Amino acid sequence: MNYLPRLTLILFVCCCVISTTSAAEPKADKKPAKKLDYAIVVHGGAGSSPKSWSAEDRAGREKTMAAALKKGRDILAKGGTSLDAVEQVIRLLEDDPLFNAGRGAVMNADGGHELDSSIMDGSNRACGAVAGVKTIKNPISLARLVMTKTRHVLLAADGADRFGKEMGVKQVDQKYFSTDEQLRDLKKVQQQAKTRDKNGQLLPTKPATHFGTVGCAALDRHGNLAAGTSTGGLTNKKYGRVGDSPIVAAGTYADNATCAVSCTGVGEDFIRNAIAFDVSALMAYKGWSVQQAVRHLIRKKTHTIYGGIIALSHDGSIAVEFNTPGMSRAMADSSGRFEVKLGK
Ligand code: ASP
């Protein structure tokens, strides 16, 4: 019997397997030197480069990001829960008009505001979300109430506002969310949407240059992970449009066995690709580190998603990746790390 062709075939198959494995699996990162007791990562949205903002905006965003990080870090340092840290960090960011969440929620095509938010508990996969709320000052807290006070996961539009009223959360008039800057952005994006090429064809609308959604992932001293996200969505979005931020598995995910994730960017991309869940799935099914998973999703799929991801693994490792010119983010942990970054 001639073994040579068979041997050649076996060698060829082995080479193919080795080369596809190494191409698909990004390089592993170092694990934290010492086991971390707690860790937290926050984002203030992906989008334009901070170089294009005014010095005042840059300073303001940096200051609020640092204050939010400190708030979350202190809760965790004192033995508080990751869920409390996530909720309190996001509430603080929702109250600053420089971020596209709560007070600073962008305008939809009608010049109104519809806010989305979600939160997830990695210890038991409990989750809660609200979509398209119009009167809720801090949607993240209402999302948490959906998780703890109902048997549902997602409440939307008028029903969600009504639930907020029943729960006694702070409600506000739509005017509370409106700023001159949002009106200017809306007009700019609407103007862009009317632009035609020389043949009279409408040009595709460019994504808004500055997103500003907020999110947080935390690991507490009890070993529990949690994640949350809050947004006003995309400027000039169609009335009733719901993005990824209130969709668990798209914009937010947490599972103690793997990681906690919050996403930002063009929501439709994140929904189509179930990105937040995919970070966890790559860790669970392929055994990848959180950095490998996040890097793979952002870098290998640039044609399908536009935005950024923050993720925190059960061992306290933090991963941040984005394919936009900038992404505000902040990280802290029990080793004393405390960092705030706006650009690359
Ligand atoms: N992902 C959000 C949405 O599409 C927007 C953002 O992250 O800036 O609603």
Side-chain angles (χ1 to χ4, degrees):
M1 191 189 291
N2 186 357
Y3 287 104
L4 200 59
R6 212 184 282 179
L7 192 64
T8 316
L9 182 68
I10 291 170
L11 278 172
F12 176 74
V13 171
C14 287
C15 287
C16 289
V17 169
I18 290 166
S19 71
T20 47
T21 312
S22 52
E25 185 164 345
K27 219 169 110 254
D29 286 70
K30 283 194 209 119
K31 288 202 172 290
K34 188 170 151 275
K35 191 182 168 316
L36 295 167
D37 295 328
Y38 60 84
I40 181 163
V41 53
V42 182
H43 75 78
S48 58
S49 161
K51 287 185 196 141
S52 64
W53 314 340
S54 69
E56 204 185 320
D57 274 14
R58 265 200 309 272
R61 286 174 73 88
E62 206 158 1
K63 191 169 162 218
T64 305
M65 290 291 293
L69 183 66
K70 183 175 177 315
K71 178 152 221 160
R73 194 263 325 260
D74 291 352
I75 291 172
L76 298 170
K78 285 184 195 136
T81 67
S82 50
L83 274 173
D84 282 343
V86 166
E87 182 185 357
Q88 293 307 320
V89 162
I90 292 182
R91 279 183 72 96
L92 197 150
L93 296 168
E94 284 176 338
D95 289 343
D96 184 333
L98 287 174
F99 295 88
N100 170 19
R103 170 90 173 89
V106 296
M107 288 179 173
N108 67 9
D110 286 339
H113 306 267
E114 294 169 307
L115 287 67
D116 298 337
S117 185
S118 63
I119 193 163
M120 186 159 182
D121 179 347
S123 71
N124 54 10
R125 297 202 197 176
C127 44
V130 290
V133 291
K134 293 187 177 138
T135 65
I136 307 299
K137 179 173 173 280
N138 293 105
I140 190 70
S141 294
L142 191 59
R144 188 167 177 184
L145 288 167
V146 171
M147 175 173 87
T148 54
K149 303 279 185 212
T150 78
R151 58 195 170 86
H152 307 299
V153 163
L154 170 62
L155 295 184
D158 293 350
D161 281 304
R162 194 169 138 197
F163 174 65
K165 192 170 182 196
E166 277 165 26
M167 288 290 114
V169 303
K170 177 116 178 95
Q171 289 188 278
V172 289
D173 189 86
Q174 281 265 294
K175 279 204 279 300
Y176 167 80
F177 304 113
S178 304
T179 65
D180 293 345
E181 189 171 32
Q182 286 152 4
L183 193 59
R184 215 176 39 236
D185 282 352
L186 178 66
K187 286 189 177 150
K188 202 164 107 193
V189 174
Q190 286 183 335
Q191 190 53 43
Q192 263 177 21
K194 283 191 214 141
T195 316
R196 291 174 184 269
D197 66 12
K198 58 181 186 322
N199 302 317
Q201 294 296 314
L202 281 174
L203 292 170
T205 320
K206 289 189 203 135
T209 51
H210 174 93
F211 296 136
T213 288
V214 306
C216 178
L219 170 71
D220 63 30
R221 286 185 183 277
H222 319 285
N224 290 325
L225 286 166
T229 312
S230 186
T231 189
L234 299 179
T235 302
N236 198 33
K237 65 184 180 181
K238 204 177 255 316
Y239 35 84
R241 177 262 189 191
V242 174
D244 60 318
S245 309
I247 308 293
V248 166
T252 301
Y253 197 72
D255 182 348
N256 278 3
T258 52
C259 61
V261 186
S262 171
C263 303
T264 172
V266 177
E268 285 72 7
D269 295 349
F270 286 82
I271 294 173
R272 283 185 199 107
N273 294 287
I275 291 295
F277 174 73
D278 213 8
V279 176
S280 170
L282 286 169
M283 292 177 72
Y285 304 150
K286 288 213 179 221
W288 287 4
S289 71
V290 71
Q291 291 92 351
Q292 285 175 296
V294 168
R295 198 173 300 149
H296 173 77
L297 290 168
I298 286 285
R299 295 199 189 160
K300 304 279 174 190
K301 292 193 174 176
T302 43
H303 55 293
T304 55
I305 61 169
Y306 187 62
I309 305 172
I310 57 166
L312 172 58
S313 130
H314 54 87
D315 68 1
S317 306
I318 291 171
V320 177
E321 289 282 335
F322 51 98
N323 54 21
T324 47
M327 175 160 161
S328 308
R329 70 260 188 215
M331 292 137 279
D333 64 35
S334 56
S335 74
R337 180 183 191 184
F338 191 97
E339 286 168 39
V340 179
K341 288 186 183 166
L342 302 182
K344 284 283 180 203

